[in-house]
């Protein structure tokens, strides 16, 4: 996908159980999603429908996984797009793509007989950055279109649309996006703590053979400030080291080398970036 702006629907087989750590984020998300699930009760009580949830936190912490799990939990179709896909040279193209995305979500939900659709937009800050008065940017139109679409979401429509957006630059977002009735639920998705790291390591070790020298509790201790994505890389790199030695089990040394590799990889990324 990408260039044509029409997002390929992705199957969402992720459940909250496949996400390690992030207990608070998961609880908050489920609480918010119940607003979608308990639709009748919400309507009876006259509660404003939930339209947008913002997931904010560093890269690789599981925001995409949470969005997929949200679609699964609410039995919704899932569509995904990235903010950068809506930035175009020509005026109006980005706005058109936003319109298409919402239209496609409704069509797909109807076709699959689902009562709701989850649209996940990663890197929302690319289209939803603060507008600075004077300078008109092409993507102001894109943002305006997104706001219009959100304002058009109704509690009793069928299918119901829920927007989930992710950012690692929440402070950059235009306040229009954060107003009540738009992305008014904010969920912080932080780097995992030791317990969270242990949980994530366990998830990514489940399909691998570890020998008895490997202690994942110890690995969790040694990987302070690693993201979920980095922990996934550690397990994968360790398996590659074991394979290079023609072994069928991952040993402690492979784990140590993998931690170093992921840590160094990060550092050289930082050094080469401007
Ligand atoms: P970005 O901001 O870079 O888009 P993200 O927060 O959306 O990152 P994901 O795409 O959800 O991160 O995570 C990338 C990969 O890292 C996942 O596919 C998964 O393998 C692993 N991962 C990240 N967080 C977790 C987690 N909490 N539990 C298990 N795996 C995780």
């Amino acid at each position: 996908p990408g260039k044509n702006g029409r997002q390929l629907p992705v199957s969402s087989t992720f459940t909250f159980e496949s996400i390690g750590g992030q207990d608070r984020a998961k609880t908050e998300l489920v609480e918010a999603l119940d607003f979608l699930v308990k639709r009748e009760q919400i309507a009876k009580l006259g509660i404003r429908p939930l339209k947008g949830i913002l997931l904010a936190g560093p890269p690789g912490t599981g925001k995409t996984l949470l969005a997929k799990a949200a679609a699964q939990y609410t039995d919704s179709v899932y569509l995904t797009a990235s903010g950068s896909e809506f930035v175009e040279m020509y005026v109006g193209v980005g706005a058109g793509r936003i319109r298409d995305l919402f239209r496609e979500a409704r069509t797909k939900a109807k076709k699959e007989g689902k009562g709701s659709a989850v649209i996940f937009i990663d890197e929302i800050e690319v289209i939803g950055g603060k507008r600075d008065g004077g300078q008109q940017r092409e993507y102001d139109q894109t943002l305006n279109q997104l706001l219009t679409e959100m304002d058009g979401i109704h509690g009793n429509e069928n299918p119901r649309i829920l927007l989930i957006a992710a950012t690692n630059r929440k402070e950059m977002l235009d306040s229009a996006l954060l107003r009540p009735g738009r992305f008014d639920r904010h969920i912080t998705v932080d780097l995992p703590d030791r317990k969270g790291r242990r949980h994530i390591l366990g998830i990514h070790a489940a399909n691998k053979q570890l020998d008895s020298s490997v202690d994942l509790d110890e690995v969790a201790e040694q990987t302070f400030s690693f993201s979920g994505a980095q922990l996934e890389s550690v397990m994968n790199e360790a398996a590659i080291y074991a394979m290079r030695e023609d072994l069928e089990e991952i040993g402690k040394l492979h784990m140590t080398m993998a931690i170093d590799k992921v840590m160094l990889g990060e550092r050289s990324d930082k050094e080469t970036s401007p």
Side-chain angles (χ1 to χ4, degrees):
K3 271 296 126 193
N4 63 8
R6 291 166 55 78
Q7 289 319 298
L8 294 177
V10 182
S11 78
S12 55
T13 46
F14 276 99
T15 63
F16 287 108
E17 282 80 67
S18 21
I19 305 172
Q22 305 299 0
D23 293 342
R24 196 174 38 80
K26 283 192 232 174
T27 309
E28 284 177 20
L29 183 56
V30 169
E31 258 168 36
L33 294 174
D34 282 338
F35 276 69
L36 208 71
V37 175
K38 299 175 186 165
R39 209 194 279 220
E40 277 173 26
Q41 200 180 347
I42 296 297
K44 265 186 204 142
L45 289 169
I47 296 173
R48 168 155 41 77
L50 170 71
K51 298 183 181 184
I53 301 176
L54 182 70
L55 306 176
T61 44
K63 297 184 288 298
T64 307
L65 301 181
L66 285 165
K68 284 186 189 168
Q72 180 94 358
Y73 181 78
T74 53
D75 192 27
S76 305
V77 293
Y78 176 75
L79 289 93
T80 176
S82 170
S84 52
E85 290 163 25
F86 298 102
V87 179
E88 273 293 331
M89 217 154 67
Y90 298 104
V91 173
V93 175
R97 285 188 182 163
I98 294 277
R99 221 175 294 127
D100 288 348
L101 183 62
F102 278 77
R103 197 178 296 144
E104 191 179 341
R106 292 190 168 96
T107 314
K108 184 170 156 58
K110 281 203 184 107
K111 211 166 113 197
E112 294 188 16
K114 304 274 189 186
S116 48
V118 167
I119 300 178
F120 175 60
I121 305 183
D122 202 359
E123 298 183 84
I124 188 77
E125 72 280 358
V126 178
I127 48 172
K130 285 200 176 88
R131 293 177 284 195
D132 46 11
Q135 264 179 348
Q136 270 301 108
R137 300 170 317 180
E138 191 280 315
Y139 35 108
D140 283 357
Q141 281 204 15
T142 308
L143 175 55
N144 285 337
Q145 187 61 40
L146 180 64
L147 299 175
T148 305
E149 296 287 352
M150 289 191 87
D151 294 345
I153 296 175
H154 297 291
N156 50 11
E157 82 178 316
N158 204 352
R160 272 273 277 129
I161 305 280
L162 174 67
L163 245 100
I164 302 183
T167 184
N168 36 50
R169 316 282 302 271
K170 184 172 155 186
E171 70 290 346
M172 272 182 55
L173 293 182
D174 195 279
S175 58
L177 266 181
L178 308 176
R179 242 168 249 154
R182 293 182 180 156
F183 290 100
D184 50 6
R185 295 288 178 113
H186 300 181
I187 297 176
T188 304
V189 190
D190 265 326
L191 289 173
D193 59 9
R194 190 184 49 73
K195 205 171 131 234
R197 293 196 298 275
R198 174 64 185 82
H199 189 183
I200 295 168
L201 286 165
I203 288 171
H204 292 288
N207 62 349
K208 300 183 171 62
Q209 303 293 328
L210 310 177
D211 75 22
S212 58
S213 67
V214 178
D215 177 357
L216 290 183
D217 288 322
E218 202 178 275
V219 179
E221 293 273 356
Q222 294 163 339
T223 47
F224 176 77
S225 90
F226 277 42
S227 68
Q230 287 174 306
L231 294 169
E232 193 270 337
S233 288
V234 166
M235 289 311 309
N236 195 55
E237 293 295 336
I240 292 171
Y241 282 123
M243 201 184 90
R244 281 195 194 143
E245 292 176 26
D246 213 16
L247 298 172
E248 280 173 6
E249 290 187 328
I250 298 169
K252 187 176 173 139
L253 186 62
H254 305 132
M255 292 300 302
T256 313
M257 291 195 301
I259 294 170
D260 283 351
K261 173 153 194 216
V262 172
M263 215 184 285
L264 283 172
E266 280 306 296
R267 205 170 304 147
S268 59
D269 280 355
K270 273 183 196 135
E271 275 160 13
T272 49
S273 66

PDB file of all heavy atoms in Angstrom, residues 14 18-22 57-66 120 122 166 168 189 200 203-204 227-230 232, ligand 1:
ATOM      1  N   PHE A  14      -4.590 -10.046  16.118  1.00  0.00           N
ATOM      2  CA  PHE A  14      -3.935  -9.755  17.386  1.00  0.00           C
ATOM      3  C   PHE A  14      -4.934  -9.599  18.503  1.00  0.00           C
ATOM      4  O   PHE A  14      -5.926  -8.902  18.366  1.00  0.00           O
ATOM      5  CB  PHE A  14      -3.132  -8.460  17.291  1.00  0.00           C
ATOM      6  CG  PHE A  14      -1.780  -8.688  16.725  1.00  0.00           C
ATOM      7  CD1 PHE A  14      -1.522  -8.436  15.401  1.00  0.00           C
ATOM      8  CD2 PHE A  14      -0.763  -9.171  17.538  1.00  0.00           C
ATOM      9  CE1 PHE A  14      -0.270  -8.664  14.868  1.00  0.00           C
ATOM     10  CE2 PHE A  14       0.495  -9.394  17.016  1.00  0.00           C
ATOM     11  CZ  PHE A  14       0.734  -9.144  15.680  1.00  0.00           C
ATOM     12  N   SER A  18      -1.404 -11.040  23.064  1.00  0.00           N
ATOM     13  CA  SER A  18      -0.126 -11.094  22.350  1.00  0.00           C
ATOM     14  C   SER A  18       0.691  -9.825  22.545  1.00  0.00           C
ATOM     15  O   SER A  18       1.718  -9.636  21.902  1.00  0.00           O
ATOM     16  CB  SER A  18      -0.331 -11.394  20.859  1.00  0.00           C
ATOM     17  OG  SER A  18      -1.634 -11.094  20.439  1.00  0.00           O
ATOM     18  N   ILE A  19       0.229  -8.946  23.433  1.00  0.00           N
ATOM     19  CA  ILE A  19       0.967  -7.717  23.716  1.00  0.00           C
ATOM     20  C   ILE A  19       1.535  -7.803  25.129  1.00  0.00           C
ATOM     21  O   ILE A  19       0.785  -8.011  26.086  1.00  0.00           O
ATOM     22  CB  ILE A  19       0.039  -6.484  23.594  1.00  0.00           C
ATOM     23  CG1 ILE A  19      -0.620  -6.476  22.212  1.00  0.00           C
ATOM     24  CG2 ILE A  19       0.817  -5.194  23.842  1.00  0.00           C
ATOM     25  CD1 ILE A  19      -1.693  -5.432  22.043  1.00  0.00           C
ATOM     26  N   GLY A  20       2.840  -7.670  25.221  1.00  0.00           N
ATOM     27  CA  GLY A  20       3.487  -7.805  26.530  1.00  0.00           C
ATOM     28  C   GLY A  20       3.490  -6.487  27.282  1.00  0.00           C
ATOM     29  O   GLY A  20       3.570  -5.422  26.680  1.00  0.00           O
ATOM     30  N   GLY A  21       3.421  -6.577  28.608  1.00  0.00           N
ATOM     31  CA  GLY A  21       3.459  -5.372  29.438  1.00  0.00           C
ATOM     32  C   GLY A  21       2.282  -4.475  29.102  1.00  0.00           C
ATOM     33  O   GLY A  21       1.211  -4.949  28.735  1.00  0.00           O
ATOM     34  N   GLN A  22       2.486  -3.171  29.228  1.00  0.00           N
ATOM     35  CA  GLN A  22       1.459  -2.185  28.837  1.00  0.00           C
ATOM     36  C   GLN A  22       0.125  -2.439  29.523  1.00  0.00           C
ATOM     37  O   GLN A  22      -0.942  -2.217  28.928  1.00  0.00           O
ATOM     38  CB  GLN A  22       1.249  -2.172  27.304  1.00  0.00           C
ATOM     39  CG  GLN A  22       2.494  -1.938  26.497  1.00  0.00           C
ATOM     40  CD  GLN A  22       3.144  -0.601  26.785  1.00  0.00           C
ATOM     41  OE1 GLN A  22       2.662   0.176  27.596  1.00  0.00           O
ATOM     42  NE2 GLN A  22       4.266  -0.330  26.167  1.00  0.00           N
ATOM     43  N   GLY A  57       3.415   7.687  22.567  1.00  0.00           N
ATOM     44  CA  GLY A  57       4.571   7.089  23.217  1.00  0.00           C
ATOM     45  C   GLY A  57       5.678   6.808  22.236  1.00  0.00           C
ATOM     46  O   GLY A  57       5.491   6.963  21.024  1.00  0.00           O
ATOM     47  N   PRO A  58       6.851   6.412  22.733  1.00  0.00           N
ATOM     48  CA  PRO A  58       8.020   6.201  21.882  1.00  0.00           C
ATOM     49  C   PRO A  58       7.788   5.107  20.826  1.00  0.00           C
ATOM     50  O   PRO A  58       6.875   4.293  20.981  1.00  0.00           O
ATOM     51  CB  PRO A  58       9.112   5.764  22.868  1.00  0.00           C
ATOM     52  CG  PRO A  58       8.540   5.777  24.221  1.00  0.00           C
ATOM     53  CD  PRO A  58       7.095   6.127  24.139  1.00  0.00           C
ATOM     54  N   PRO A  59       8.624   5.097  19.780  1.00  0.00           N
ATOM     55  CA  PRO A  59       8.498   4.095  18.724  1.00  0.00           C
ATOM     56  C   PRO A  59       8.671   2.666  19.256  1.00  0.00           C
ATOM     57  O   PRO A  59       9.395   2.456  20.227  1.00  0.00           O
ATOM     58  CB  PRO A  59       9.661   4.405  17.769  1.00  0.00           C
ATOM     59  CG  PRO A  59      10.124   5.764  18.113  1.00  0.00           C
ATOM     60  CD  PRO A  59       9.716   6.043  19.512  1.00  0.00           C
ATOM     61  N   GLY A  60       7.981   1.748  18.613  1.00  0.00           N
ATOM     62  CA  GLY A  60       8.202   0.332  18.906  1.00  0.00           C
ATOM     63  C   GLY A  60       7.649  -0.174  20.219  1.00  0.00           C
ATOM     64  O   GLY A  60       8.079  -1.208  20.733  1.00  0.00           O
ATOM     65  N   THR A  61       6.691   0.547  20.792  1.00  0.00           N
ATOM     66  CA  THR A  61       6.178   0.132  22.100  1.00  0.00           C
ATOM     67  C   THR A  61       4.873  -0.658  21.999  1.00  0.00           C
ATOM     68  O   THR A  61       4.324  -1.070  23.017  1.00  0.00           O
ATOM     69  CB  THR A  61       5.965   1.359  23.014  1.00  0.00           C
ATOM     70  OG1 THR A  61       5.326   2.390  22.256  1.00  0.00           O
ATOM     71  CG2 THR A  61       7.293   1.884  23.524  1.00  0.00           C
ATOM     72  N   GLY A  62       4.372  -0.825  20.784  1.00  0.00           N
ATOM     73  CA  GLY A  62       3.187  -1.665  20.630  1.00  0.00           C
ATOM     74  C   GLY A  62       1.908  -0.919  20.299  1.00  0.00           C
ATOM     75  O   GLY A  62       0.817  -1.466  20.430  1.00  0.00           O
ATOM     76  N   LYS A  63       2.043   0.318  19.811  1.00  0.00           N
ATOM     77  CA  LYS A  63       0.846   1.101  19.510  1.00  0.00           C
ATOM     78  C   LYS A  63       0.048   0.446  18.373  1.00  0.00           C
ATOM     79  O   LYS A  63      -1.176   0.356  18.442  1.00  0.00           O
ATOM     80  CB  LYS A  63       1.226   2.544  19.161  1.00  0.00           C
ATOM     81  CG  LYS A  63       1.890   3.263  20.339  1.00  0.00           C
ATOM     82  CD  LYS A  63       2.198   4.709  20.061  1.00  0.00           C
ATOM     83  CE  LYS A  63       3.339   4.924  19.095  1.00  0.00           C
ATOM     84  NZ  LYS A  63       4.638   4.385  19.568  1.00  0.00           N
ATOM     85  N   THR A  64       0.770  -0.010  17.359  1.00  0.00           N
ATOM     86  CA  THR A  64       0.088  -0.672  16.248  1.00  0.00           C
ATOM     87  C   THR A  64      -0.591  -1.954  16.724  1.00  0.00           C
ATOM     88  O   THR A  64      -1.729  -2.252  16.339  1.00  0.00           O
ATOM     89  CB  THR A  64       1.106  -0.990  15.128  1.00  0.00           C
ATOM     90  OG1 THR A  64       1.794   0.219  14.803  1.00  0.00           O
ATOM     91  CG2 THR A  64       0.428  -1.528  13.893  1.00  0.00           C
ATOM     92  N   LEU A  65       0.104  -2.685  17.582  1.00  0.00           N
ATOM     93  CA  LEU A  65      -0.481  -3.924  18.107  1.00  0.00           C
ATOM     94  C   LEU A  65      -1.752  -3.625  18.899  1.00  0.00           C
ATOM     95  O   LEU A  65      -2.749  -4.346  18.799  1.00  0.00           O
ATOM     96  CB  LEU A  65       0.513  -4.657  19.025  1.00  0.00           C
ATOM     97  CG  LEU A  65       1.860  -5.068  18.435  1.00  0.00           C
ATOM     98  CD1 LEU A  65       2.694  -5.808  19.485  1.00  0.00           C
ATOM     99  CD2 LEU A  65       1.669  -5.953  17.212  1.00  0.00           C
ATOM    100  N   LEU A  66      -1.728  -2.560  19.672  1.00  0.00           N
ATOM    101  CA  LEU A  66      -2.912  -2.185  20.466  1.00  0.00           C
ATOM    102  C   LEU A  66      -4.091  -1.853  19.552  1.00  0.00           C
ATOM    103  O   LEU A  66      -5.230  -2.239  19.826  1.00  0.00           O
ATOM    104  CB  LEU A  66      -2.592  -0.990  21.377  1.00  0.00           C
ATOM    105  CG  LEU A  66      -1.733  -1.303  22.614  1.00  0.00           C
ATOM    106  CD1 LEU A  66      -1.179  -0.017  23.230  1.00  0.00           C
ATOM    107  CD2 LEU A  66      -2.514  -2.082  23.667  1.00  0.00           C
ATOM    108  N   PHE A 120      -6.867   2.967  11.807  1.00  0.00           N
ATOM    109  CA  PHE A 120      -5.661   3.309  12.560  1.00  0.00           C
ATOM    110  C   PHE A 120      -4.772   4.201  11.698  1.00  0.00           C
ATOM    111  O   PHE A 120      -4.397   3.829  10.592  1.00  0.00           O
ATOM    112  CB  PHE A 120      -4.906   2.027  12.945  1.00  0.00           C
ATOM    113  CG  PHE A 120      -3.584   2.280  13.623  1.00  0.00           C
ATOM    114  CD1 PHE A 120      -3.534   2.983  14.831  1.00  0.00           C
ATOM    115  CD2 PHE A 120      -2.395   1.820  13.078  1.00  0.00           C
ATOM    116  CE1 PHE A 120      -2.316   3.229  15.476  1.00  0.00           C
ATOM    117  CE2 PHE A 120      -1.169   2.053  13.719  1.00  0.00           C
ATOM    118  CZ  PHE A 120      -1.139   2.760  14.916  1.00  0.00           C
ATOM    119  N   ASP A 122      -1.186   5.905  11.838  1.00  0.00           N
ATOM    120  CA  ASP A 122       0.108   6.032  12.506  1.00  0.00           C
ATOM    121  C   ASP A 122       0.721   7.388  12.109  1.00  0.00           C
ATOM    122  O   ASP A 122       0.344   7.956  11.081  1.00  0.00           O
ATOM    123  CB  ASP A 122       1.000   4.877  12.014  1.00  0.00           C
ATOM    124  CG  ASP A 122       2.119   4.587  12.990  1.00  0.00           C
ATOM    125  OD1 ASP A 122       2.224   5.270  14.022  1.00  0.00           O
ATOM    126  OD2 ASP A 122       2.907   3.669  12.698  1.00  0.00           O
ATOM    127  N   ALA A 166      -1.769   7.206  16.310  1.00  0.00           N
ATOM    128  CA  ALA A 166      -0.567   7.038  17.127  1.00  0.00           C
ATOM    129  C   ALA A 166       0.423   8.142  16.817  1.00  0.00           C
ATOM    130  O   ALA A 166       0.508   8.619  15.675  1.00  0.00           O
ATOM    131  CB  ALA A 166       0.071   5.669  16.855  1.00  0.00           C
ATOM    132  N   ASN A 168       4.475   9.771  18.323  1.00  0.00           N
ATOM    133  CA  ASN A 168       5.482   9.885  19.377  1.00  0.00           C
ATOM    134  C   ASN A 168       5.849  11.349  19.598  1.00  0.00           C
ATOM    135  O   ASN A 168       6.838  11.661  20.240  1.00  0.00           O
ATOM    136  CB  ASN A 168       6.725   9.001  19.117  1.00  0.00           C
ATOM    137  CG  ASN A 168       7.095   8.901  17.668  1.00  0.00           C
ATOM    138  OD1 ASN A 168       7.201   9.911  16.986  1.00  0.00           O
ATOM    139  ND2 ASN A 168       7.272   7.694  17.179  1.00  0.00           N
ATOM    140  N   VAL A 189       1.571   5.122  25.924  1.00  0.00           N
ATOM    141  CA  VAL A 189       2.169   3.808  25.714  1.00  0.00           C
ATOM    142  C   VAL A 189       3.679   3.969  25.897  1.00  0.00           C
ATOM    143  O   VAL A 189       4.388   4.352  24.974  1.00  0.00           O
ATOM    144  CB  VAL A 189       1.833   3.266  24.304  1.00  0.00           C
ATOM    145  CG1 VAL A 189       2.247   1.816  24.167  1.00  0.00           C
ATOM    146  CG2 VAL A 189       0.338   3.405  24.006  1.00  0.00           C
ATOM    147  N   ILE A 200       7.266  -9.423  27.439  1.00  0.00           N
ATOM    148  CA  ILE A 200       7.479  -9.316  25.989  1.00  0.00           C
ATOM    149  C   ILE A 200       8.492 -10.358  25.514  1.00  0.00           C
ATOM    150  O   ILE A 200       8.301 -11.015  24.492  1.00  0.00           O
ATOM    151  CB  ILE A 200       7.941  -7.885  25.615  1.00  0.00           C
ATOM    152  CG1 ILE A 200       6.816  -6.877  25.926  1.00  0.00           C
ATOM    153  CG2 ILE A 200       8.348  -7.799  24.136  1.00  0.00           C
ATOM    154  CD1 ILE A 200       7.243  -5.415  25.862  1.00  0.00           C
ATOM    155  N   ILE A 203       6.856 -13.665  25.219  1.00  0.00           N
ATOM    156  CA  ILE A 203       6.008 -13.775  24.026  1.00  0.00           C
ATOM    157  C   ILE A 203       6.857 -14.095  22.791  1.00  0.00           C
ATOM    158  O   ILE A 203       6.528 -14.980  22.006  1.00  0.00           O
ATOM    159  CB  ILE A 203       5.210 -12.464  23.809  1.00  0.00           C
ATOM    160  CG1 ILE A 203       4.122 -12.351  24.873  1.00  0.00           C
ATOM    161  CG2 ILE A 203       4.618 -12.392  22.399  1.00  0.00           C
ATOM    162  CD1 ILE A 203       3.398 -11.008  24.905  1.00  0.00           C
ATOM    163  N   HIS A 204       7.993 -13.403  22.670  1.00  0.00           N
ATOM    164  CA  HIS A 204       8.816 -13.620  21.470  1.00  0.00           C
ATOM    165  C   HIS A 204       9.741 -14.828  21.588  1.00  0.00           C
ATOM    166  O   HIS A 204      10.389 -15.199  20.616  1.00  0.00           O
ATOM    167  CB  HIS A 204       9.576 -12.345  21.119  1.00  0.00           C
ATOM    168  CG  HIS A 204       8.664 -11.248  20.665  1.00  0.00           C
ATOM    169  ND1 HIS A 204       8.029 -11.276  19.446  1.00  0.00           N
ATOM    170  CD2 HIS A 204       8.217 -10.127  21.288  1.00  0.00           C
ATOM    171  CE1 HIS A 204       7.247 -10.214  19.334  1.00  0.00           C
ATOM    172  NE2 HIS A 204       7.349  -9.498  20.443  1.00  0.00           N
ATOM    173  N   SER A 227      12.704  -1.004  23.862  1.00  0.00           N
ATOM    174  CA  SER A 227      11.289  -1.025  23.484  1.00  0.00           C
ATOM    175  C   SER A 227      10.890  -2.466  23.170  1.00  0.00           C
ATOM    176  O   SER A 227      11.753  -3.351  23.045  1.00  0.00           O
ATOM    177  CB  SER A 227      11.076  -0.163  22.248  1.00  0.00           C
ATOM    178  OG  SER A 227      11.702  -0.767  21.137  1.00  0.00           O
ATOM    179  N   GLY A 228       9.597  -2.681  23.003  1.00  0.00           N
ATOM    180  CA  GLY A 228       9.113  -4.003  22.614  1.00  0.00           C
ATOM    181  C   GLY A 228       9.713  -4.449  21.294  1.00  0.00           C
ATOM    182  O   GLY A 228      10.095  -5.605  21.130  1.00  0.00           O
ATOM    183  N   ALA A 229       9.813  -3.513  20.357  1.00  0.00           N
ATOM    184  CA  ALA A 229      10.378  -3.847  19.049  1.00  0.00           C
ATOM    185  C   ALA A 229      11.842  -4.276  19.201  1.00  0.00           C
ATOM    186  O   ALA A 229      12.307  -5.209  18.551  1.00  0.00           O
ATOM    187  CB  ALA A 229      10.253  -2.658  18.108  1.00  0.00           C
ATOM    188  N   GLN A 230      12.577  -3.598  20.095  1.00  0.00           N
ATOM    189  CA  GLN A 230      13.982  -3.975  20.303  1.00  0.00           C
ATOM    190  C   GLN A 230      14.091  -5.343  20.980  1.00  0.00           C
ATOM    191  O   GLN A 230      14.988  -6.121  20.675  1.00  0.00           O
ATOM    192  CB  GLN A 230      14.678  -2.917  21.154  1.00  0.00           C
ATOM    193  CG  GLN A 230      14.927  -1.632  20.379  1.00  0.00           C
ATOM    194  CD  GLN A 230      15.480  -0.539  21.288  1.00  0.00           C
ATOM    195  OE1 GLN A 230      14.897  -0.222  22.323  1.00  0.00           O
ATOM    196  NE2 GLN A 230      16.603   0.009  20.907  1.00  0.00           N
ATOM    197  N   GLU A 232      11.996  -7.756  20.655  1.00  0.00           N
ATOM    198  CA  GLU A 232      11.690  -8.729  19.605  1.00  0.00           C
ATOM    199  C   GLU A 232      12.949  -8.971  18.776  1.00  0.00           C
ATOM    200  O   GLU A 232      13.280 -10.115  18.448  1.00  0.00           O
ATOM    201  CB  GLU A 232      10.535  -8.198  18.742  1.00  0.00           C
ATOM    202  CG  GLU A 232       9.909  -9.200  17.810  1.00  0.00           C
ATOM    203  CD  GLU A 232      10.572  -9.244  16.445  1.00  0.00           C
ATOM    204  OE1 GLU A 232      11.207  -8.254  16.044  1.00  0.00           O
ATOM    205  OE2 GLU A 232      10.460 -10.295  15.789  1.00  0.00           O
TER     206      GLU A 232
HETATM  207  P1  LIG B   1       5.928   2.980  15.837  1.00  0.00           P
HETATM  208  O1  LIG B   1       5.629   4.178  16.662  1.00  0.00           O
HETATM  209  O2  LIG B   1       7.365   2.883  15.410  1.00  0.00           O
HETATM  210  O3  LIG B   1       4.959   2.728  14.732  1.00  0.00           O
HETATM  211  P2  LIG B   1       4.601   1.046  17.504  1.00  0.00           P
HETATM  212  O4  LIG B   1       4.496   1.549  18.894  1.00  0.00           O
HETATM  213  O5  LIG B   1       3.399   1.094  16.651  1.00  0.00           O
HETATM  214  O6  LIG B   1       5.836   1.720  16.815  1.00  0.00           O
HETATM  215  P3  LIG B   1       4.537  -1.732  16.956  1.00  0.00           P
HETATM  216  O7  LIG B   1       4.543  -1.576  15.473  1.00  0.00           O
HETATM  217  O8  LIG B   1       3.253  -2.052  17.589  1.00  0.00           O
HETATM  218  O9  LIG B   1       5.131  -0.440  17.616  1.00  0.00           O
HETATM  219  O10 LIG B   1       5.631  -2.781  17.390  1.00  0.00           O
HETATM  220  C1  LIG B   1       6.621  -3.247  16.485  1.00  0.00           C
HETATM  221  C2  LIG B   1       6.941  -4.693  16.785  1.00  0.00           C
HETATM  222  O11 LIG B   1       7.614  -4.767  18.050  1.00  0.00           O
HETATM  223  C3  LIG B   1       5.720  -5.558  16.945  1.00  0.00           C
HETATM  224  O12 LIG B   1       5.335  -6.143  15.735  1.00  0.00           O
HETATM  225  C4  LIG B   1       6.179  -6.603  17.959  1.00  0.00           C
HETATM  226  O13 LIG B   1       6.901  -7.624  17.330  1.00  0.00           O
HETATM  227  C5  LIG B   1       7.142  -5.837  18.830  1.00  0.00           C
HETATM  228  N1  LIG B   1       6.497  -5.267  20.029  1.00  0.00           N
HETATM  229  C6  LIG B   1       6.418  -3.947  20.357  1.00  0.00           C
HETATM  230  N2  LIG B   1       5.789  -3.784  21.527  1.00  0.00           N
HETATM  231  C7  LIG B   1       5.439  -5.008  21.950  1.00  0.00           C
HETATM  232  C8  LIG B   1       4.733  -5.498  23.092  1.00  0.00           C
HETATM  233  N3  LIG B   1       4.286  -4.663  24.043  1.00  0.00           N
HETATM  234  N4  LIG B   1       4.543  -6.822  23.201  1.00  0.00           N
HETATM  235  C9  LIG B   1       5.007  -7.665  22.255  1.00  0.00           C
HETATM  236  N5  LIG B   1       5.667  -7.278  21.162  1.00  0.00           N
HETATM  237  C10 LIG B   1       5.899  -5.966  21.000  1.00  0.00           C
END
